[in-house]
Amino acid sequence: MDYQAILENIYREILPYAGEGKQADYIPALAEVEPDRFGISLRLMDGSTFELGDAHTRFSIQSISKVFALTIAISLEGEAIWKRMGKEPSGSSFNSLVQLEYENGIPRNPFINAGALVLADIMISRLQNPEQFFIDYIRKISDSPTVDYNRRVAESELSTGYLNAAIANLLKYHRNIDNGIDEVLRLYTLMCSVEMSCAELSKAFMCFARSNEEFRHGEVTLTKSNVKRINAIMQTCGFYDEAGEFSFLVGLPGKSGVGGGIAAIYPSLYSIAVWSPRLNSKGNSIMGMKALELFTTETSESIF
Ligand code: GLU
C-alpha cells in the first residue's frame, strides 16, 4: 500500500475543513498555539514511518497523557485499580463534577479528569519520584530523551484549574485520593503539559499496537491482557463524550487531547498520531478526526 500517497490525498481532502473550530483557550497558555498547524505520523510494525506536515513539531499532549498514566498505574496496582474507578464511557464532559457526585467519588473511567486524578494519586503513593518516573517512561517508549514537561503550561492550568480542584476535593471527600490534593493536582497538570510531536507519539503508541507481545519497561510491565484492556478503554472512553462517534467514523482505539492531538492504533498493524489544534465542541481535533476517518476508509484498515 502506498501510505505516503494516501496521507497526501487525505491532506488535500481535509483542507476544506481548515479554519473550522478553534484551539482550546480555557488553559491560558494553550490559547497562544498557532491554530493552523497540521501534522500526521504513521508507523508500521516494522518501524517504517510515513509523515506529513508538522509531524516533528511538539505540542501539548494534554489528555493523551492519561493513557501513559493508566499504563503505569495498572502495572503498579493490577486489578486493585478497578476498585477506585470504572471502565464505562462517561457520556458526559471530561471534567464533569455532577456524575462524580452521583457515583460517590468513583470516576466512570481512567480517561476523564476525575479518573486521571486518581491515577496521579496512585503514582504518588507508589513511586519515589513520580514526576521523574513519568517523564522517563515517556522518553523511553518514544525513544526521545528530550521529551519534557512544559512547566509554563502546567502553571497556567494550575492557576486557573478551579474545576479540577473541585473534582480533586470531591474525590478526597469520598476517600478516593490518599495524598494531598495540591500534590495530586500538580502531578496531573504536569502530566498534561508534556509536549511531544506526532512522530514521537506514534512511536510511543506502538506499545499498544504490539498486542501480541509482552511489553516491559523498568518497573512497568504490561501483560498482553493489560494491553487488551487499555485498548478497550481507549475504544470506549478515549474521546470524551464522542467516543461513539469516533468509533463510528474511524474505528480504532485511540485517545485525544485538548491540545489538538489524537493517537490511535490498529493492533499488530500500525500506530498513527495526528495534530491540528482547532477543536470541535466536544474537544476533539476537527481535522485530526477527519484525517483518521479518511485514513481508515481509504486503507480499509479499521478494526471493524
Ligand atoms: N489538562 C486538561 C484538563 O484537565 C486536559 C483536558 C484534555 O485534554 O482532555 O482540563
Side-chain angles (χ1 to χ4, degrees), residues 26-27 61-64 66 94-95 111 113 157 164 188-189 192 240 255-259 283:
Y26 73 97
I27 299 172
I61 67 168
Q62 291 297 318
S63 275
I64 300 173
K66 291 171 175 148
F94 61 93
N95 50 13
F111 293 161
N113 289 8
E157 176 166 13
N164 283 335
Y188 170 81
T189 47
C192 292
Y240 312 118
K255 182 75 197 85
S256 63
V258 294

Side-chain angles (χ1 to χ4, degrees), residues 20-26 30-35 258-259 277-279:
E20 274 186 28
K22 65 180 182 68
Q23 76 266 45
D25 55 7
Y26 73 97
L30 288 189
E32 297 162 17
V33 172
E34 277 177 58
V258 294
R278 290 183 188 270
L279 309 178

Side-chain angles (χ1 to χ4, degrees), residues 24-32 60-66 94-95 111-114 116-117 149-168 181-182 184-195 240 257-259:
D25 55 7
Y26 73 97
I27 299 172
L30 288 189
E32 297 162 17
S60 198
I61 67 168
Q62 291 297 318
S63 275
I64 300 173
S65 65
K66 291 171 175 148
F94 61 93
N95 50 13
F111 293 161
I112 53 172
N113 289 8
L117 287 163
Y149 299 114
N150 181 329
R151 290 174 192 277
R152 201 174 69 84
V153 171
E155 278 308 315
S156 168
E157 176 166 13
L158 208 50
S159 63
T160 54
Y162 307 111
L163 197 45
N164 283 335
I167 293 171
I181 287 169
D182 291 345
V184 171
L185 284 166
R186 198 174 156 276
L187 180 61
Y188 170 81
T189 47
L190 268 176
M191 279 159 30
C192 292
S193 81
V194 170
E195 292 184 333
Y240 312 118
V258 294

Side-chain angles (χ1 to χ4, degrees), residues 4-299:
Q4 195 63 39
I6 290 173
L7 293 186
E8 278 158 25
N9 264 340
I10 288 172
Y11 186 60
R12 274 190 294 276
E13 288 174 75
I14 60 172
L15 273 179
Y17 297 90
E20 274 186 28
K22 65 180 182 68
Q23 76 266 45
D25 55 7
Y26 73 97
I27 299 172
L30 288 189
E32 297 162 17
V33 172
E34 277 177 58
D36 295 314
R37 309 294 295 265
F38 178 84
I40 190 162
S41 167
L42 166 72
R43 177 175 283 266
L44 306 184
M45 297 307 287
D46 65 3
S48 50
T49 53
F50 304 87
E51 295 168 350
L52 196 101
D54 302 311
H56 291 271
T57 306
R58 287 184 178 154
F59 58 89
S60 198
I61 67 168
Q62 291 297 318
S63 275
I64 300 173
S65 65
K66 291 171 175 148
V67 184
F68 303 133
L70 175 62
T71 305
I72 294 171
I74 214 171
S75 173
L76 296 171
E77 288 272 289
E79 286 300 303
I81 193 176
W82 305 119
K83 292 194 189 111
R84 297 180 62 180
M85 65 188 76
K87 20 176 144 59
E88 295 295 339
S90 71
S92 39
S93 69
F94 61 93
N95 50 13
S96 170
L97 198 58
V98 176
Q99 189 170 61
L100 190 64
E101 183 172 17
Y102 278 132
E103 299 182 357
N104 302 316
I106 302 293
R108 268 290 171 96
N109 68 63
F111 293 161
I112 53 172
N113 289 8
L117 287 163
V118 175
L119 297 176
D121 186 54
I122 291 171
M123 287 197 285
I124 293 168
S125 296
R126 291 286 194 136
L127 298 166
Q128 253 181 1
N129 186 342
E131 184 182 317
Q132 192 62 45
F133 187 94
F134 188 75
I135 201 68
D136 282 347
Y137 167 70
I138 296 182
R139 285 174 180 160
K140 179 74 190 281
I141 60 171
S142 62
D143 203 14
S144 239
T146 58
V147 164
D148 214 342
Y149 299 114
N150 181 329
R151 290 174 192 277
R152 201 174 69 84
V153 171
E155 278 308 315
S156 168
E157 176 166 13
L158 208 50
S159 63
T160 54
Y162 307 111
L163 197 45
N164 283 335
I167 293 171
N169 274 284
L170 194 53
L171 287 164
K172 184 81 180 170
Y173 171 80
H174 284 287
R175 300 179 202 281
N176 202 2
I177 280 191
D178 296 327
N179 298 283
I181 287 169
D182 291 345
E183 202 184 350
V184 171
L185 284 166
R186 198 174 156 276
L187 180 61
Y188 170 81
T189 47
L190 268 176
M191 279 159 30
C192 292
S193 81
V194 170
E195 292 184 333
M196 296 172 80
S197 66
C198 290
E200 288 162 340
L201 266 177
S202 66
K203 179 83 195 279
F205 265 63
M206 280 313 278
C207 60
F208 308 112
R210 284 193 207 100
S211 52
N212 57 346
E213 289 169 23
E214 256 196 23
F215 168 75
R216 285 170 198 279
H217 164 68
E219 296 143 274
V220 180
T221 305
L222 274 183
T223 60
K224 273 194 259 184
S225 151
N226 280 341
V227 171
K228 181 183 85 175
R229 288 167 173 195
I230 291 169
N231 285 337
I233 297 169
M234 281 202 260
Q235 187 73 42
T236 51
C237 311
F239 294 85
Y240 312 118
D241 193 15
E242 207 173 29
E245 184 78 357
F246 190 83
S247 257
F248 184 81
L249 296 175
V250 180
L252 296 175
K255 182 75 197 85
S256 63
V258 294
I262 302 177
I265 63 109
Y266 185 121
S268 305
L269 199 56
Y270 63 78
S271 72
I272 189 163
V274 61
W275 171 55
S276 169
R278 290 183 188 270
L279 309 178
N280 64 19
S281 60
K282 304 279 187 179
N284 291 312
S285 168
I286 293 176
M287 285 177 86
M289 261 179 92
K290 195 72 200 163
L292 293 179
E293 179 190 353
L294 291 170
F295 182 78
T296 54
T297 305
E298 292 180 21
T299 57

